[in-house]
Structure formats: C-alpha cells, structure tokens
Amino acid sequence: MRLDDKTAVVTGAASGIGRAIAVGLSAAGATVVAVDRDPQGLSDTVATIGTTATAHVVDLADAAAITALRDTVVATHGIPQVIVNAAGFDRVEPFMSNDDALWESLVAVNFLGPVRLTRAFLEPILAADATAKIVNIASDAGRVGSLGETVYAGTKGGLIAFTKSLAREMARHHINVNCVCPGPTDTPLFASLPEKVRDGLIRAIPFRRLATPAEIADAVLFFASDHSNYITGQVLSVSGGLTMAG
Ligand SMILES: NC(=O)c1ccc[n+]([C@@H]2O[C@H](COP(=O)([O-])OP(=O)(O)OC[C@H]3O[C@@H](n4cnc5c(N)ncnc54)[C@H](O)[C@@H]3O)[C@@H](O)[C@H]2O)c1
C-alpha cells in the first residue's frame, strides 16, 4: 500500500499509536504533518521519520490553535489527502469519583478535537473539490463499554457515531471516513492504567497479548490507502479478538 505524493496529518503523533501511524504512513511514502501537544515526543517522532515529517505543537482542546494549524499546513504542504485523529487521553477511575473538569477535558480532546480538526481541514478540501481519507482512532470502550472509563467510552462512542454520520455526508464528495478501534495496546497510555486492570484485560484477549502500536497503524494504513476506496463509515476493531462486534 503506497501513499507517495500524499500528505497525511496525524494527531497524537508524539507517542504510542499516533507515532506508529506517523512512522507507518511515512514508510508508505507519505509526507507527515505530526501534531501533538508534547514538543519532545514530536521531536523524537520527526527524528525517527526524517525530513519528510514536520512537527506542529498544538493543544487539540484549543479551537483557535486548530484553525491556525490548518492555515499553516495548507500554506506549506497544500491540501492534505489523509487525516488521522489519534490524539486522546484517559483516566481510569469509578464514574462516581470523576469530577467535572475530567469530563470537560475528555470531551474537548477526545471528541471535539477530532470534530474541530476534521471540520477545519474539510473546508479547503471541499472548496478544492478534492478527495481525502479520514481515519478516527476510537476505542473498543466506545463499542462495548469499559469499567472505570465511563465518560472516556462516551467520547469514543460519540466519535464512532460522528464517523458514520460524516461518512454519509461526505460520500458524495468521495471522501472516506472510517474508524479504527484499538483494543489494549502497548503504549504509555495503557501503562498508566492500574496493574489489576492491565492484567485483567490481557487475560481477556483471545490472543493473550497486547497489540503493538504498529499493528494498529497497519489498519490505519489500509483505510488511508486506495485499497479502501469503496469502504466508508466502518468501524474496525484491532483487538486480538477481545471484541467481536457484529
Ligand atoms: N493504548 C490503548 O490501549 C488504547 C486502546 C484504545 C484506544 N486507544 C486510543 O488510541 C489513541 C492513542 O493512544 P495511545 O495509547 O497511543 O496513548 P499515548 O498517551 O501514548 O499517546 C496519546 C498522544 O495524544 C497526545 N495528546 C493528548 N491530549 C492532547 C491534546 N489536548 N492535544 C494534543 N495532543 C494530545 C499526547 O500528548 C500523546 O502524545 C487515543 O485516542 C486512545 O484513546 C488506545
């Protein structure tokens, strides 16, 4: 699957799954616009990829910063052909221990971040009558629920519904919108979960191991490539069989 001459915007590119996606898309020939709020992690990603990647420090909870990012990217790279919304965060604790600040932040980053970034880039894409592939990284928590991740799961379920609805609206523009749901994946986010939760999840996975970030990136590469031209509005779990949603 080749992405030569394509520009891909990847959020969350400073770590874990987003970094693996940036590296994978770059290996397939894409120029990568790496976006994250973590400057050090971004530098490491860009150093790994080399001159075909640029680093853009953006807090995706900041709507104005997303618009500014879009303007910079379009001015320097032109209109991107691939957009991957991978940034996100989680804090595992019982719903009744959550505070309002956590909910606000989860919604701002995990749901409104992809919504705003997608909308910002769709403006020039539609104005130019261009096509694009949009891939959202949700979570199996958004398909089947997850203990201690109640509002996180809500944001991911929202992202799945957003993906499907946007796919319907964008189909006439030949813009594909799909969703990858990682299962438990070996990243700093997973390592931040309580040990009991981590052990329980690994035991429940039919393959009895975590996904590697590169295995999630492989699914994203498919949705970003011409091999998925007739696929839109779909949700693919990459979870070692943990979820087998119909
Ligand atoms: N690791 C897992 O087990 C797992 C499972 C299901 C879904 N996911 C999803 O995969 C995606 C990537 O997760 P990961 O495991 O690689 O986590 P990670 O913590 O390794 O990486 C997440 C990245 O998102 C960035 N980020 C967070 N908030 C941001 C903000 N406000 N603005 C800009 N950047 C921000 C972080 O700086 C970090 O670089 C997330 O959306 C997560 O919800 C992960």
Side-chain angles (χ1 to χ4, degrees):
M1 285 181 272
R2 296 299 306 170
L3 294 173
D4 300 296
D5 304 321
K6 303 212 163 159
T7 297
V9 176
V10 182
T11 75
S15 178
I17 291 170
R19 173 180 287 165
I21 292 167
V23 170
L25 297 181
S26 155
T31 297
V32 171
V33 172
V35 179
D36 205 289
R37 67 177 168 191
D38 168 11
Q40 184 55 55
L42 271 183
S43 299
D44 295 346
T45 300
V46 169
T48 303
I49 293 175
T51 53
T52 54
T54 51
H56 303 260
V57 180
V58 174
D59 180 353
L60 292 160
D62 179 346
I66 290 175
T67 310
L69 168 75
R70 186 270 318 275
D71 292 345
T72 304
V73 170
V74 173
T76 49
H77 296 282
I79 295 169
Q81 290 78 25
V82 177
I83 295 167
V84 183
N85 289 299
F89 82 100
D90 192 10
R91 188 170 94 203
V92 175
E93 65 182 21
F95 173 66
M96 296 308 287
S97 304
N98 287 174
D99 54 34
D100 201 70
L102 175 67
W103 296 339
E104 295 270 359
S105 192
L106 283 169
V107 172
V109 177
N110 293 358
F111 182 66
L112 286 179
V115 168
R116 288 179 172 137
L117 187 125
T118 301
R119 166 68 192 266
F121 280 101
L122 276 175
E123 284 171 7
I125 290 168
L126 293 178
D129 208 12
T131 63
K133 296 278 195 326
I134 300 170
V135 188
N136 294 321
I137 306 302
S139 169
D140 274 346
R143 304 189 88 177
V144 297
S146 182
L147 206 67
E149 301 182 295
T150 310
V151 177
Y152 170 86
T155 64
K156 295 299 190 177
L159 187 55
I160 291 168
F162 169 70
T163 299
K164 293 177 180 175
S165 302
L166 189 67
R168 291 183 187 278
E169 280 199 38
M170 290 299 136
R172 69 193 176 94
H173 301 288
H174 306 289
I175 293 170
N176 306 55
V177 194
N178 289 294
C179 200
V180 171
C181 288
T185 306
D186 191 7
T187 70
L189 185 149
F190 185 80
S192 74
L193 304 183
E195 195 180 352
K196 231 174 96 182
V197 175
R198 284 187 273 135
D199 290 347
L201 280 167
I202 294 169
R203 269 199 308 277
I205 299 169
F207 280 161
R208 294 287 189 276
R209 67 166 178 87
L210 297 176
T212 65
E215 287 171 325
I216 309 299
D218 283 341
V220 174
L221 181 57
F222 169 67
F223 281 133
S225 77
D226 287 342
H227 290 265
S228 64
N229 281 352
Y230 197 60
I231 301 175
T232 198
Q234 299 305 303
V235 185
L236 177 62
S237 287
V238 183
S239 62
L242 179 60
T243 41
M244 299 188 184

